[in-house]
Amino acid sequence: MIIESIVCTIDDQGRINFAPMGVVWGEPILIIRPFKTTTTYRNLITTRQAVVNITDNVLIFARAAVSDASFPHFPAPHVRGAVLEDACSYREVVVEAVDDVPERAEVRCRVVGSGRLRDFLGFNRGKNAVIEAAILATRLDWIGSERVKAAFREYDEIVKKTGGEQEHEAMAYLWSYVSDKVTR
């Protein structure tokens, strides 16, 4: 099963990267499948450590998907990484093996630490719509602006009907990103 998360890696210079990513969930092994062109992939190969943050804050997903945003965090206890202050729970992992298949790598990670900060309230339809919109926004160049905007219109309706303030703000942020990219 794939769980949507915010994967935090740190490069060899100490720069923190937060990236939304579906992780193949398991205990004690997680599989992270980053595209080989990403900062997450480079950091995992270099430092061989990460923190997989589980959060229900979709504004973090939206901002991390399309920008180099930073979020309030604290150092992970067992690995060189960062735990989101707004995480519900987290897993600290170390890389055990890397399968460098074309385009996306499969990075097998062993859980070496974990923590729980608060209850996970779940995702309503609005939160789900924002996550799907964030994924599409990262694929704008591959899918094309017309398909993305059509899907965004559908997601926007779901957010309007079922979302709260956070979902509305996240959807507006993603709309702004797509609009800016399309007009350039």
Side-chain angles (χ1 to χ4, degrees), residues 4 58 61 125-139 143 148 151-152 155 171 174:
E4 298 302 327
V58 294
F61 280 95
R125 289 182 66 219
K127 287 182 182 290
N128 284 330
V130 170
I131 289 176
E132 291 301 324
I135 292 167
L136 277 182
T138 67
R139 289 157 172 75
I143 295 172
V148 170
F152 266 43
Y155 296 144
M171 198 66 207
L174 292 169

Side-chain angles (χ1 to χ4, degrees), residues 1 9 22 33 46 50 60 68 87 91 100 145 150 158 160 164 175:
M1 172 173 49
T9 57
R33 298 183 59 230
T46 302
I60 292 174
D68 192 21
R91 301 292 186 274
D100 270 328
S145 63
I158 293 169
K160 284 177 184 170
W175 266 115

Side-chain angles (χ1 to χ4, degrees), residues 1-4 22-26 29-31:
M1 172 173 49
I2 295 175
I3 302 293
E4 298 302 327
V23 172
V24 180
W25 201 257
I29 301 297
L30 299 178
I31 298 173

Side-chain angles (χ1 to χ4, degrees), residues 32 71 92 118 176:
I32 301 172
F71 307 97
E92 298 169 84
R118 64 181 177 84
S176 176

Side-chain angles (χ1 to χ4, degrees), residues 99-113:
D99 185 2
D100 270 328
V101 293
E103 199 171 303
R104 287 181 95 156
E106 280 206 6
V107 183
R108 181 182 165 92
C109 300
R110 183 172 37 86
V111 177
V112 296

